[in-house]
Structure formats: structure tokens, C-alpha cells
Amino acid sequence: MNETEPKSKRLKMDEYNERKKLERRKKSPFPGTRGYGICSSNVLLNKTGIGAQLPKFRSEKRKRECCLKKADRNSYSEKGENANILDTEIDVVASLASFKDYMETSIGISSLQDMFGDIVVEENNLTVQQRNQKKSWKERVESTEKAWKDVFKTLLNDVFARQAFYISPCGKCGCKLPRFVIRCKTCSIFYCEDCDLKHHEKHLFHQRTLATATSSTCLLVHQFINAKGELFSKDISILCFKPEKCSNCEGQEQLEISPGDENIAVVTKDGRFDLKSAKFVCSYCKLVTKASIIDYICSGYWPGDPNNISYLISEDLLRFWYLTKHNMPGTSLNKFLETLETLFEGFKPFKPINKIHFQNASRHYEYFMHLIDNKIKLRDKTLCFSCKGIMLASHPDGNFKLYRLRSALGLNLTSLYGNAVIAYDEDMEKHKSLIDSKIFKSKLSETCGDSIFKAARSDAGKYKKLDETGIMMRTCRHGIVDKAVNMHQGETFRHTHFMHIDLPEKKCSFLCGDVMCRYWKWAQKVALLFPEFKPTIEDMKPFLGRMHAKVHVWYCQILWVGHWMLNAALTLGEEQEQVFSKMSRYGSVTKHMGGANRRDHITAAVFFWNAQKEKGMVHQLVKRRKRALNQIKISSKQLKSDFETYHLNAEVLPRLLEELRKTAEDYKTGRKQSKDDESPLQMAQKALEGYNAHIKILKSRVSRIATTSGQRIKMRKAMTLMSKKNADLIKFINANSEYNITEESLLNGHFPWQNYEPSTSKSSIATFHEKFQIIDNWMLLLRSKEEVLQSEKEMRNFVNSIMGQKSLLETEIKSHVSLISSTSSTTKEHRIAQEKTVLITHELTRIHEMLIYAVATFQEIDENFADSTGTRSLFSSNSKSFGTEEANEEHDDNFSDAEILDDSPDDETSDNWSDDETSDNWSDDEEIPY
């Protein structure tokens, strides 16, 4: 408060602050006592009414002097569980005047004062600055930096003094080590030579160092020390699980593992280690059996070549690489292996890691894990539980950053995943040939709205250095990718139609697209010529994405934009863009791969993406509903303001909507009819529309599609040239018409001659642009209400789909249990069924936990959710109550990584998106050139 302000005003502010302090104290009079039974804040507040008398310090951090001893805590806990003692102490509380008196009278201050320390202190002992003191982020960072500087003043000398050789007893046997010591950083123990040999011939991959008073030597896996302190080598075999019995005498528990004759390089997260192969020796019949590839795989080691088991990769390292390359897309395998090679540079001899062996082991390990998920656990990794059977919308779109260079031919390998996600190129070619048999390719190229400008054509000559020019993917409105197809030229309507044909089977209602106004007419033509494709038109509706609609002409936004469509909810129609925000980052590595490796890499990336989206699905559905409720408030408030400003009512809105649609249809029809008789002014207007739209498209293509500086320079030159043409056209139009083109017109793409209203218009309440804004806000309000219902519908469908998957797994388990009971325990079929039962049981546990968390979360929205979905019986009486804070916190701990950011930006902010964020050129009835 400024001292120059009137004294009365400062007094009022002081009184206001004092009232706020008293209100805060009433809410929680005893800070720090929650959870201690009869000492809890709620009990004391409700029973005594003395909360306002006790101080509360919100910002001060206190330290408890000491805690209760274990015996005291147990004794205190027993008292808290005794109902009679509890009633007596509550009566005592009611007669006391302060928390301090209560502590002294109830259980004695000797123990509770130690527990609570200085929680209750006199407020007048602290100044306002001390109570409100709280370090800012900058102060905390500076404090941490200062602490590190203080540590580093003596850190170097302290570490050297600590690591220097000194006489120390062996950590295993306790013997003195006067001349040398073997220091194991992995175990954090000093070893003598005997204990080191005994321990580390079974624990192979530890970091061991021989330390003396004058030297320090890193020990390799096969190097050990004798009693004289001299190095010697010993053959160390890779450790494997022993077979159950000898294949010759069938004796059990008589096999011993020993080093074989072959050298094997084993690569782990700690680098490369050179060991001996494993062999099993029967102590009874002396039969020697070499370890097979199955023995190594079951022991956690994958070979690079099954025919020559001389190179093994640790399963832990393969899993680490899998998570690394998908959590950080674009990570180079070469650099990853180079990091492993130089991990202990200067400590161990350099040993290269074979890239081909590592790549083969990694590729087949990931596919093996996929087979377990798909064949045993029955996971459909392209299925969205929320959309199953009720898919509202699907969005196919192309990505030109996932191309592959023609020079990266690779080997003639076969894809492991096949068409699990990416359709075979042969299937796409057959579909294109079918369409081409009755519809010829068009060589023209136009923008939406007939604004002519020079556009690229998707011919093969443009992509002479590329094999695959990109990929088209399809996703539901929750971001789950379910299908993809390679592109070998440009993105055409034939690719979109290939993604379109199976959507009616999924009960999909809307097809979202960037140029849906052009594609839908082409698809209708295809449906007339090919009756088998009629369901794609009759059972579905077109949906122009809200973001891409920004660069379409104004009447196209009225006739085709998605959020003006009935029952579309708050579907954005741009969901694939979020998928590409991550998938595009794989382009730096996929462009150098062979065809099969690229297909497998992108397929694995899609599976990883879908798994992350599935983990966060519950959070996403709740967030969508919450956003819709918030948008309802915003749109309702805006609509009410429009009613007051323009003196409207709700009954007028349908009529305004009909006027806008009729205006758009009439203007579109009039433009087509006047094509053959255009004045120079009309041609200039049309050219300005086209150049302005093209500049916006090029801006987006610079960031989305251009991958080289040359491409970006070329696009920026075109933008500069078109800006100059725009300036000339604006001068011509302003000089030869009554219009005045402004900068705002160029930014929003709405020009004065577009405000066409037919003479039959019944409303003169507002201008065309104002009517558009009113109806646009009304449509957003209606879609928000639909989104609330759609989200709740998808919540129920999500739970029902999980329950269906759970029932399927339970049926599968019953079939395996039946097989187990009907076969001998020594047969291979019995063992296979037994292991499958274990894996399915693990999957059932995962599904059950997901189901509990989903119902618990949705129950907070609808208290009858569990009853309506029939899931209340899933929760046992002795388990944590679902819907409680503890149950949700427990799941949040387990699934903290699963809360993937939801997808689409808030719809209330989408109107503020700049046109630079839009993308993709459009074409005529044939191709979408880029």
C-alpha cells in the first residue's frame, strides 16, 4: 500500500486482511495434526469450537525436534483404536480452552510435545515477513548452485583422499588386505583374491578394479588375482538356466554348467564382454551337451545370428534400446552403439560392437514380444476401446517427412509385421488400378473456391530420388492409429479412398479431411461407378477439419466445416496432426532404412504410440468432458452477450443459420455461372484470393514438409514473389472499385466482395460477418453439449470393451486349464499351456487394474456409473473402495507415465490459431499436390 494514500483506505485494507486471516484459521486451526486420530484438526474443531483461538502459519516450514519412539507410537496407536478411551478424551477436549491444555491433560506432554515440536507457537513472536517468507524459483536455483560451488571447493581433494589405497578388511571374509585390494563398484565392497574369484565367476558383469598404493588397474571379466598380486586368466562361461534333466540318463539335479570351447561376445548395458560358451555336464553319465539357442534366449540373451551363436545381446539392453528409440524418436542406432563402446573408454580396452548382429537381435526380439501380446495375450494394438463399435470420426492424412531414399535399397528382407498396420503396396496398387479403370487422372490443379494459382503436381519425376515419398495414416478421434499406407508419389484421393472403404464396417459416422470439400464430390463419383463403395457415401458424412478450414474460402467453411455438423460433438478433425508431431521425428532414421526395416520400425512406433494413448485414455475422456463443460459456459456467456448486443433471441438462430447456408450456396453457384464472363476486376479479385491462400499454405509447408534448406529457400522465394503480386492486385482493386482492402482482410482471408447477401434475406440484424460469428458460437455451444454426452457414452463403451476383453481372456484361460488337466506334466503341450496360462493371468491383472481405475474415475462423474455398467461386483469388500482418493492416488503412482497429453487444443482457443499453422495444399478432383 502506498503511504501517500489516505489513511482511511489503508485501515480498511488492514481490516480486510485481518478478516481473511481469521477465515483461514477457522478452516484448519491445527496445521500438521491431520491423521492422528483424536488429535486431528476436524475432531478438535468440531468438538471444542476453539479453532479460531489457535494460530495457523501457512508458509513457515517447521522441523520436528524428534519423533515418538516405536514403543510410544504403538502404545499411542492402541489408544486410538480403543473406543472407550476415544470417547473419554473427546469429552476432555470439549472442556478445554486450547490445544496445549488438551495435549497436557489427554496423554501427557512428554510424548506429544516431542511429536508435534513447535507446531503451536506464539504468532506475535514472528514478523509478517518471516511468516510470509517463501523462496522463489530463482532463489532456489541460485541456492542450489551456491551449494554446489561450496562442495566443489574441496570435492576434488576429498574424493582423491577417499579413493586412495588404504588397508581395509575383505568385505566377505574379513581378512586384512595390506598390499592390494580388489574394489568392486557394482557391489561397493572390497574383496580379497579368493573371495573375488568365488563371487565374480558367478557375477560376470561387475566393474572391478585392482588397487595398490601406486596403481589402479581395471579387471576384465576373465581376469583375476592370485595371492602374489599377479594377474591370471580363467575361462568364464556365460550363465544359463540348466535343463530340467539329462537327455541321456534323464537324471534330475545332476547337471553342472562349465565353460565351453567357443568364444562368445556378450553385449550388455555395461558394454561388451568376451566369455566362453556354456555346456552342461551330467555328473552321473558324464554326457556333455552344448547350450542351444533356446537355452540362451530363455536366459535373457538374444543371438545376432541363430546359425552362429558367437554374438549375444542382453535382453535388458534390447529393452532399453526399444524404449530409448521410441521415447526419443530419431535416435541413431550407430550413435547408441558408439556410446556403449566408449562407455568405459580409458578404463577398459576398446571393443567394437557389431551393428548388424545388434540390429538383427533387436528386430526379432521386438517381434517376439509382439507375438506374445498378439497371439497369447490377445491384444489388438490398433483397437480403441472407446471407439469400438461406435466410432464417431476418423481422420486420414499424409506425412511427407517419413520418406525413404531410393539410394537406401537395403537387403531383400521380408517384413516381420507385414500388414499389421501398413497395408501392402500390392493392395494399394490394385485399388488404384480399379479406380483408374473408370476414372482418368486429371492434369489440372485448383484451390478450394476456384482461386487459380500455380500448384505442384504429384508426378513421379518430382520424386526421382525417393522410393517411398511418405506415408498416410488414419486415426480415430482419440489418437489411436489403426491403419496406414505407403505413398510412392504424391498424396492423392485414391490413397484417401483406400483408407475410407473399410470405415463403414467400423460404424464410423464422419470422415475428416483437409480438403473434404473436393474429395467428397470425387468419392460420390466413385460410388456411382462402383456400387460396392456406396456405403462409404450413404453411411458416412464429410467433415472438414476446423484448423484447415481457416484457409478455405468463406462459403466452404459454412458448408463443410465439422463443428457445424449435427452430432459431431467437439471432434476437431485434426487428430492425425498430433500423431505426426511425433511420427515425423522418426524420419531422420527411416529415410536410410531398407523397405522391410522401415515398415517394421514405423509399425513398432505406431504400436508404442497406441499403447501410450491407451494408458492415458481414462484421463483423456475425463478431460474432454471437462473441456466441453467449460466451453458450454464460455459459449453461453458469449451467446448471451450477442443476444443483448443485437437484440436477438434463441428462436432467430435457426433462421440465421439457414440464411448463411443459402447465402453460401447461392454465392458458390453464382461464381460457377460467371466463369465464362468475368470482368478484369473479378479476375483480379479471384487472383488475390488465390495468391493470399497460397502464401498461407507455403508458410505452413516451410515448417511441416520442407526437410532441406534448399526447399525452404525455394518456398520463401515463391512467397516473396506472390506478396509483390498481392500488392499490385490490391492497388488495382482499390483504384477500380468501392472496396478498400486492408491488412486484416489478408490475415483472415475474408474480402469485402465476399459479404454477399441475397435480396431475399429476411434479416438485417447484423452484417454477414457478425451473423457468421454468432452462428459459429452457437454451433460451438451445441457441439459442446453433444461432447458431454459423447464423452459419457465413450466412457461406458471403454469399460464395456475392457470387460469384453477380460471375458475373452478368462475363456482362453479355461481352455488352457482344461488342456493342462488332460495331459501329462512331462509333455510339451502341457508345459506350453502352463506358460500361456501364466502370461494370460498377467494380462488379466493388467486389464483388471485398468478397469478398476476407469470405473473409480468415472464414478466421480456419475455416482451410478458402476451400477449402469455392471461393474460393482468386480470390487471385493476387502479391497480399497473405488472412487476414493487412495485408490486414485495408487493408480496415479502406477500410471504416472500414462497420462499422455490430450490431443487436441481447446476449442475455445482454436479460433485464435494463426493461418501459419495450417498445412497441405489441395487439388482438384484427383490429386493433392505438395
Side-chain angles (χ1 to χ4, degrees), residues 70 137 256 291 355 407-408 412 444 471 526 613 670 699 715 884:
K70 186 174 182 180
W137 175 84
E256 295 180 356
K355 175 188 173 182
S407 58
N412 189 21
L444 298 178
I471 191 170
V526 172
K613 297 299 290 185
K699 285 182 179 180
M715 292 180 183
T884 62

Side-chain angles (χ1 to χ4, degrees), residues 694-891:
H694 196 197
I695 289 175
K696 294 177 182 178
I697 295 166
L698 288 176
K699 285 182 179 180
S700 66
R701 294 179 67 188
V702 168
S703 60
R704 284 193 70 252
I705 298 175
T707 56
T708 65
S709 59
Q711 291 176 339
R712 287 188 287 270
I713 290 173
K714 184 178 180 181
M715 292 180 183
R716 285 171 182 148
K717 285 183 177 179
M719 290 165 55
T720 302
L721 179 62
M722 291 182 186
S723 296
K724 292 180 180 179
K725 292 183 178 180
N726 267 358
D728 296 337
L729 289 171
I730 290 174
K731 290 181 182 179
F732 177 80
I733 294 173
N734 290 341
N736 294 276
S737 68
E738 58 184 6
Y739 303 127
N740 182 26
I741 311 300
T742 63
E743 187 68 23
E744 182 180 359
S745 300
L746 295 177
L747 291 176
N748 58 32
H750 288 205
F751 297 95
W753 56 83
Q754 294 176 341
N755 293 332
Y756 169 78
E757 296 187 48
S759 58
T760 58
S761 174
K762 299 180 180 180
S763 175
S764 59
I765 299 173
T767 65
F768 174 84
H769 183 68
E770 290 169 342
K771 290 179 183 179
F772 180 89
Q773 295 297 329
I774 293 171
I775 297 302
D776 188 69
N777 183 65
W778 179 47
M779 290 290 102
L780 196 56
L781 175 62
L782 296 180
R783 300 296 85 78
S784 299
K785 293 180 179 179
E786 293 172 358
E787 179 65 32
V788 174
L789 300 177
Q790 181 66 24
S791 297
E792 294 173 352
K793 180 180 180 181
E794 289 172 349
M795 290 176 187
R796 291 189 293 271
N797 194 63
F798 180 79
V799 170
N800 292 332
S801 299
I802 294 179
M803 291 179 64
Q805 183 71 8
K806 189 170 180 284
S807 300
L808 184 63
L809 291 172
E810 290 171 347
T811 303
E812 192 73 10
I813 278 189
K814 290 179 181 179
S815 64
H816 291 312
V817 170
S818 175
L819 180 61
I820 292 172
S821 60
S822 62
T823 57
S824 172
S825 60
T826 59
T827 62
K828 187 175 181 179
E829 291 77 10
H830 179 96
R831 291 170 177 258
I832 293 175
Q834 188 176 13
E835 183 61 22
K836 286 183 177 180
T837 303
V838 172
L839 293 173
I840 296 175
T841 302
H842 289 168
E843 179 68 6
L844 268 175
T845 302
R846 186 189 73 88
I847 289 290
H848 186 70
E849 290 177 354
M850 186 191 301
L851 184 60
I852 289 177
Y853 174 63
V855 177
T857 304
F858 299 153
Q859 184 77 7
E860 296 178 358
I861 297 174
D862 180 8
E863 60 183 10
N864 297 320
F865 185 86
D867 295 327
S868 63
T869 54
T871 53
R872 189 171 293 277
S873 60
L874 296 173
F875 303 90
S876 59
S877 58
N878 58 355
S879 64
K880 289 184 179 178
S881 299
F882 63 93
T884 62
E885 187 175 349
E886 301 148 7
N888 292 339
E889 286 179 357
E890 179 179 350
H891 187 277

Side-chain angles (χ1 to χ4, degrees), residues 671 674-689 728-737 739 753:
R671 297 269 296 194
S674 62
K675 274 187 176 181
D676 299 330
D677 187 19
E678 287 184 339
S679 65
L681 179 61
Q682 290 174 327
M683 295 175 65
Q685 292 171 353
K686 183 192 299 185
L688 182 61
E689 291 178 16
D728 296 337
L729 289 171
I730 290 174
K731 290 181 182 179
F732 177 80
I733 294 173
N734 290 341
N736 294 276
S737 68
Y739 303 127
W753 56 83

Side-chain angles (χ1 to χ4, degrees), residues 609-626:
W609 167 270
N610 288 351
Q612 296 296 95
K613 297 299 290 185
E614 182 184 281
K615 289 180 182 178
M617 187 62 68
V618 174
H619 172 74
Q620 182 186 149
L621 293 175
V622 173
K623 186 177 178 181
R624 282 176 177 269
R625 183 181 181 276
K626 182 178 180 181

Side-chain angles (χ1 to χ4, degrees), residues 380-384 391 394-395 419-422 473-476 479-484 499 502-503 506 576 606-607 610:
D380 185 351
K381 296 185 178 182
T382 60
L383 174 66
C384 176
M391 181 180 285
S394 181
H395 179 212
N419 62 346
V421 174
I422 306 176
M473 292 184 180
R474 185 182 73 190
T475 181
C476 70
I480 301 292
V481 180
D482 63 346
K483 192 176 182 180
M499 309 290 276
D502 63 332
L503 286 177
K506 296 176 177 288
Q576 192 60 53
V606 168
F607 287 157
N610 288 351

Side-chain angles (χ1 to χ4, degrees), residues 292-340:
S292 66
I293 182 175
I294 303 301
D295 293 320
Y296 289 126
I297 290 178
C298 291
S299 301
Y301 302 100
W302 282 74
D305 182 2
N307 297 321
N308 183 17
I309 308 178
S310 60
Y311 219 92
L312 298 178
I313 315 296
S314 166
E315 188 173 313
D316 292 340
L317 178 60
L318 295 176
R319 176 67 178 171
F320 181 74
W321 166 239
Y322 170 78
L323 294 175
T324 298
K325 69 180 180 181
H326 291 305
N327 281 309
M328 296 184 289
T331 303
S332 168
L333 175 60
N334 290 341
K335 291 300 179 183
F336 180 79
L337 296 181
E338 184 179 328
T339 302
L340 283 179

Side-chain angles (χ1 to χ4, degrees), residues 173-267:
C173 65
C175 67
K176 294 294 182 180
L177 306 173
R179 295 189 300 120
F180 61 87
V181 63
I182 301 170
R183 179 187 288 122
C184 179
K185 288 187 177 181
T186 308
C187 300
S188 298
I189 293 177
F190 293 148
Y191 288 97
C192 65
E193 66 277 6
D194 294 333
C195 294
D196 174 62
L197 177 61
K198 187 183 301 183
H199 182 77
H200 286 112
E201 67 179 351
K202 300 298 183 185
H203 300 81
L204 309 180
F205 309 120
H206 287 200
Q207 300 178 36
R208 300 154 53 234
T209 304
L210 171 63
T212 66
T214 59
S215 65
S216 177
T217 304
C218 183
L219 298 177
L220 301 180
V221 65
H222 57 83
Q223 291 179 335
F224 296 92
I225 310 299
N226 59 22
K228 298 180 181 180
E230 298 172 344
L231 286 173
F232 72 93
S233 297
K234 181 181 179 180
D235 289 341
I236 301 295
S237 71
I238 185 172
L239 299 179
C240 293
F241 289 114
K242 294 183 291 187
E244 181 184 8
K245 57 188 177 181
C246 176
S247 59
N248 182 36
C249 63
E250 297 188 353
Q252 297 182 352
E253 300 181 358
Q254 297 178 1
L255 293 175
E256 295 180 356
I257 187 171
S258 63
D261 299 328
E262 295 84 5
N263 294 322
I264 291 183
V266 180
V267 183

